[in-house]
Amino acid sequence: MTEDLNGAVIPTGFDVPVDPLRRAAHYTGEPGCIAEARAFAAQFLDQLRTEWCAEIGRRSGEALLLVVSELVTNADRHSNGPYILELEGTGVSVDVCVYDSSAALPRRFPRDPRRVGRHGLEIVHALASEVTVERIPVGKRVRAVVGLGRD
């Protein structure tokens, strides 16, 4: 903590920098990987609750698991190789990053309730406060920021 005395900020000795909780997992694309990624994300949420004392509502937790499922499913279906799920979180939000070997950027289709399939990015954009996609030397990275809260 700091105290402000007439414009001067004085450290009180209780300022402790806290790094976000970070975890990553590698998946081969074998059957069951998507379920494993969801379980990994659920365990990550439990660690956030324990280590960060994060108050994560049921809806926020479910939104995070759905975003993980959608992004990992896309990587599983559209890349020719393994993929990595990286999670970084605080008590406020979780960054979900999925790295895969395909350089093809995912396409977000216009909303169409009559369309069968291809709703993954539409769902991710609806649940995340920020979504970015970028090419990297080995393929691409898709990043979604999911806010956490008591709901």
Side-chain angles (χ1 to χ4, degrees):
M1 288 198 137
T2 56
E3 293 182 19
D4 181 5
L5 301 175
N6 297 326
V9 177
I10 302 168
T12 61
F14 296 108
D15 295 331
V16 178
V18 178
D19 291 329
L21 180 63
R22 291 184 183 99
R23 299 288 181 266
H26 175 269
Y27 300 96
T28 61
E30 297 294 318
C33 285
I34 297 164
E36 288 176 26
R38 259 183 91 85
F40 177 78
Q43 182 182 21
F44 182 84
L45 282 174
D46 286 341
Q47 281 186 283
L48 243 127
R49 284 184 184 101
T50 303
E51 295 176 24
W52 270 80
C53 299
E55 295 184 26
I56 303 167
R58 183 184 58 81
R59 291 180 68 180
S60 297
E62 289 174 356
L64 177 72
L65 296 179
L66 184 52
V67 166
V68 166
S69 292
E70 291 297 336
L71 293 181
V72 169
T73 297
N74 284 349
D76 191 74
R77 288 187 180 161
H78 302 292
S79 70
N80 295 324
Y83 45 92
I84 296 170
L85 169 63
E86 181 180 80
L87 302 172
E88 180 178 300
T90 64
V92 177
S93 66
V94 174
D95 282 24
V96 178
C97 293
V98 176
Y99 299 81
D100 69 46
S101 60
S102 171
L105 300 181
R107 290 183 26 201
R108 181 178 172 199
F109 294 92
R111 186 173 180 211
D112 181 357
R114 294 171 293 163
R115 182 179 65 245
V116 177
R118 300 187 196 178
H119 292 280
L121 275 183
E122 183 181 340
I123 291 167
V124 170
H125 277 270
L127 296 174
S129 60
E130 182 182 343
V131 179
T132 57
V133 179
E134 66 180 329
R135 284 191 176 96
I136 58 174
V138 295
K140 71 174 166 294
R141 176 179 86 137
V142 181
R143 177 179 167 263
V145 179
V146 179
L148 301 175
R150 301 180 325 196
D151 38 43

